[in-house]
Amino acid sequence: LSDMAYRAAFSRHPYRFSAGGTTQNIEKLLGATVRSYHRARYVGRNISVIVAGDVNATAAHALVAQNFSVASKAAPPPLAISPEAAPLVRKTQFRKLNAQRSATAIAFRAPGIDAPRDVVALDVLLSHLSEGPNSALRRALSPRDASGRDSSPQNSGDASTQNARSLALAFYAEYLTQRDPGLFIITLITEPEDRAAATRATLGEIAQIRRSGISARALAEAKRDLNRQYTAQGETPTGQAGALGFYEMISDYNFAVTYLSRVNSITVADIRRVAEGGVTTLTAV
């Protein structure tokens, strides 16, 4: 579904291709092609070495010099990727598979790292929509009774909901900050007869955020969840190096250092602004 969404949203940018490639293209690769690619791009100016943990700085510098000083001093090939405007219309794509369940991906064009406040605001919005037992999407897709009313225990006053079922069997929200604008994707796994209703409920939740934003309490909860996740990720040297290296490759490692302060500065207005951005691309299986 993610591959379908990227192909639908991008017509020129390399993001339209699967990062893992295809079996056919991988089988066509020759050793000479791979070696040529390595020689051109694995050069000194294209390498960043991230060191994290309880290390001696002098020893670390010596090891870096010992292992990386042999890298070529040639300049890497210039990046020649033209920016691509968001689609002007909503697109819908279907692919029929022999499966008992339906899967739907609702994708929105999302900012790249050159809009740092927006990418952090979108991380907070993702947290609000999908994290925790009281997430916005969980509420929007909550169990419905025969009349269509929300019959989840916290709203019905009756823990017996044997005749109720959620609109979605599972849902996922994903957004990866990239160098260029990418996609924010919400995936719904449903029974076939619930696909349309689950899609409407999800788009309705997004529309509500576009109109009114989210409450101050919801914003605080989303920030708290995001702070917890990021802190847990950085509890090991591997996690720290991973975050520093990731942002160094697409922008600057300092983005990782200042990430939590950026998260805590996000406002309701920021959330509403990033929710309003992007044209919907709907792909369904």
Side-chain angles (χ1 to χ4, degrees), residues 153-232:
Q154 64 266 34
N155 291 320
S156 67
D158 180 3
S160 176
T161 57
Q162 58 183 1
N163 294 322
R165 60 189 173 89
S166 297
L167 291 176
L169 302 169
F171 65 86
Y172 315 94
E174 56 182 305
Y175 167 60
L176 175 66
T177 301
Q178 297 172 283
R179 180 179 283 114
D180 296 328
L183 292 180
F184 183 101
I185 304 176
I186 299 171
T187 302
L188 307 170
I189 310 300
T190 68
E191 299 290 359
E193 63 269 23
D194 292 331
R195 182 182 62 80
T199 300
R200 286 195 301 270
T202 301
L203 291 175
E205 185 64 31
I206 299 296
Q208 176 63 30
I209 295 172
R210 285 173 167 172
R211 289 191 301 269
S212 307
I214 64 177
S215 69
R217 178 179 177 179
L219 178 62
E221 290 177 351
K223 288 181 179 181
R224 184 174 64 247
D225 287 341
L226 196 52
N227 270 267
R228 186 184 302 116
Q229 292 173 18
Y230 193 78
T231 301

Side-chain angles (χ1 to χ4, degrees), residues 255-275:
F255 195 90
V257 178
T258 60
Y259 183 79
L260 289 182
S261 63
R262 293 173 184 269
V263 167
N264 294 329
S265 73
I266 295 301
T267 66
V268 172
D270 292 322
I271 298 297
R272 185 176 178 183
R273 183 183 69 255
V274 295

Side-chain angles (χ1 to χ4, degrees), residues 111-142:
I113 194 64
D114 60 345
R117 189 170 185 86
D118 285 359
V119 302
V120 175
L122 209 50
D123 283 345
V124 176
L125 177 58
L126 184 147
S127 179
H128 167 72
L129 287 171
S130 64
E131 297 298 326
N134 199 39
S135 69
L137 282 179
R138 190 175 299 278
R139 294 195 307 272
L141 300 166
S142 59

Side-chain angles (χ1 to χ4, degrees), residues 28-70:
K28 291 178 182 178
L29 284 175
L30 301 175
T33 306
V34 177
R35 287 190 291 272
S36 175
Y37 184 93
H38 185 274
R39 282 194 301 270
R41 290 167 175 80
Y42 284 71
V43 296
R45 298 187 198 178
N46 236 13
I47 297 173
S48 294
V49 181
I50 307 297
V51 181
D54 185 13
V55 298
N56 177 279
T58 301
H61 279 284
L63 286 170
V64 170
Q66 175 184 330
N67 288 280
F68 291 92
S69 62
V70 295

